[in-house]
Amino acid sequence: MNLLKSIFISSYMMAIMAIAGYAGWMLYQGENTMAWSGVLLTTAPILMVMMRAMMLKNLARTSAHFPMINLLGAAGAALTTYVWFSIGTEGLAALLAVIGWTTFLLYSYWFSTYGDRQPSMKLIVGTKLPHFTVRDVNDKLISSAQLTDKPAILIFYRGNWCPFCTAQIKELMGRYKEIDSLGVRVALIAPQPHENTLGVSKVYGAKFDFLTDEGNAAARTLGIEHKNGLPMGMQMMGYDSDTVMPTVIITGKDGKIVWTHETDNYRVRPEPDTYLAILRKHGIAIA
């Protein structure tokens, strides 16, 4: 199933770009405005969201199912179908609109979720993390015990290739001084080539811990591995096919887990204010 999703997302992105581009060309050529505008409604809105996420890297989260985009897609498919039945032409526009909307529904309701993800039995509140090691930017192996020798926020993210992950990091950087003043460690952990971890640490330059989970071993130990989670084709950039389901773990002064967030949708992630609220609740921060 995960392999099918990996193939789907790469194909979906190319398909909606092609459909939107073709619809724009048909409008430029003076073809039926209602029909081809309807096609654009089924592809352009989600395409703009994705382009913003990939180019600006400032979109850390979205709604789970994009209700407004879904409504626009349904309207576009209905509009093109109406034109087709009314004038007996523009069948291609109706077909492309239905494809655009249907594949959006697959993206929003099927691809984006982890299939009713269940909390990992390795991440139990009140217990310490199982032993694992990750590599830091100084090429040293760091153990889970070392990471949690003081209050810590551990964020497992998919890698530099994921625009929502990089936006999440950028968002945290904006709260660096506030978090650092609490004496809380922030560790950002990804199963990616180590040079990519070094690269992102140089870009942001903050005193957070940027760490590489080599071979996805830590994610596997914690029960948060996502097999075949990488979009098909990105292996050419050096990433492994297996990645991690975005996960946040907060540990307290005694190194024990006080809170976790194991999202069931890779686009739905907690905000920094949530972390600060948890820290205050457990007496790690003063309100």
Side-chain angles (χ1 to χ4, degrees):
M1 181 63 73
N2 288 340
L3 181 58
L4 185 59
K5 285 187 174 186
S6 174
I7 296 170
F8 167 81
I9 188 59
S10 297
S11 303
Y12 175 61
M13 293 304 297
M14 291 188 290
I16 61 172
M17 286 190 288
I19 292 173
Y22 186 71
W25 173 252
M26 295 301 283
L27 287 171
Y28 178 75
Q29 293 294 312
E31 298 296 332
N32 189 285
T33 300
M34 288 180 63
W36 291 102
S37 294
V39 175
L40 280 179
L41 283 177
T42 68
T43 54
I46 187 63
L47 188 58
M48 288 189 290
V49 170
M50 291 302 177
M51 290 180 66
R52 173 194 164 183
M54 290 186 288
M55 295 176 67
L56 300 181
K57 301 186 186 300
N58 64 356
L59 187 63
R61 64 193 57 80
T62 70
S63 62
H65 301 300
F66 298 110
M68 182 55 68
I69 294 178
N70 192 6
L71 183 61
L72 291 173
L79 182 60
T80 56
T81 302
Y82 169 77
V83 172
W84 181 31
F85 278 102
S86 295
I87 65 177
T89 62
E90 306 300 345
L92 177 60
L95 175 62
L96 292 178
V98 169
I99 291 173
W101 184 41
T102 301
T103 52
F104 164 75
L105 292 175
L106 286 172
Y107 168 73
S108 178
Y109 287 90
W110 172 65
F111 171 80
S112 297
T113 71
Y114 291 120
D116 296 323
R117 175 184 182 183
Q118 298 300 310
S120 170
M121 296 307 295
K122 304 293 182 65
L123 300 176
I124 305 299
V125 171
T127 67
K128 292 193 174 184
L129 291 170
H131 173 76
F132 63 81
T133 59
V134 288
R135 190 171 297 277
D136 71 8
V137 294
N138 296 313
D139 212 32
K140 294 180 180 179
L141 290 179
I142 306 296
S143 71
S144 51
Q146 289 173 291
L147 287 176
T148 57
D149 61 356
K150 66 177 184 178
I153 303 171
L154 311 181
I155 298 178
F156 283 82
Y157 69 102
R158 302 193 296 171
N160 296 4
W161 61 268
C162 172
F164 296 99
C165 296
T166 53
Q168 185 181 30
I169 294 172
K170 183 185 291 187
E171 181 181 65
L172 277 169
M173 293 304 166
R175 308 293 290 275
Y176 165 67
K177 291 183 178 179
E178 185 176 1
I179 296 173
D180 186 60
S181 68
L182 303 174
V184 175
R185 169 180 286 114
V186 176
L188 300 153
I189 308 167
Q192 62 182 352
H194 193 54
E195 56 268 25
N196 291 15
T197 300
L198 294 174
V200 72
S201 70
K202 292 176 181 177
V203 167
Y204 293 107
K207 295 180 181 179
F208 291 164
D209 294 333
F210 288 90
L211 304 160
T212 300
D213 180 12
E214 296 180 319
N216 217 23
R220 195 176 306 112
T221 296
L222 298 178
I224 57 175
E225 179 187 26
H226 187 202
K227 294 189 70 64
N228 293 310
L230 187 75
M232 185 63 67
M234 298 202 70
Q235 292 84 352
M236 292 185 294
M237 299 174 64
Y239 293 98
D240 289 334
S241 295
D242 297 340
T243 183
V244 63
M245 292 182 282
T247 302
V248 181
I249 305 165
I250 296 181
T251 58
K253 298 174 182 177
D254 57 2
K256 293 181 179 179
I257 300 170
V258 299
W259 184 81
T260 67
H261 187 274
E262 300 174 64
T263 184
D264 187 40
N265 185 316
Y266 80 95
R267 292 180 283 98
V268 178
R269 303 166 185 235
E271 300 182 10
D273 283 341
T274 300
Y275 309 148
L276 294 172
I278 295 298
L279 294 172
R280 294 187 182 100
K281 178 181 178 180
H282 290 274
I284 301 169
I286 300 174

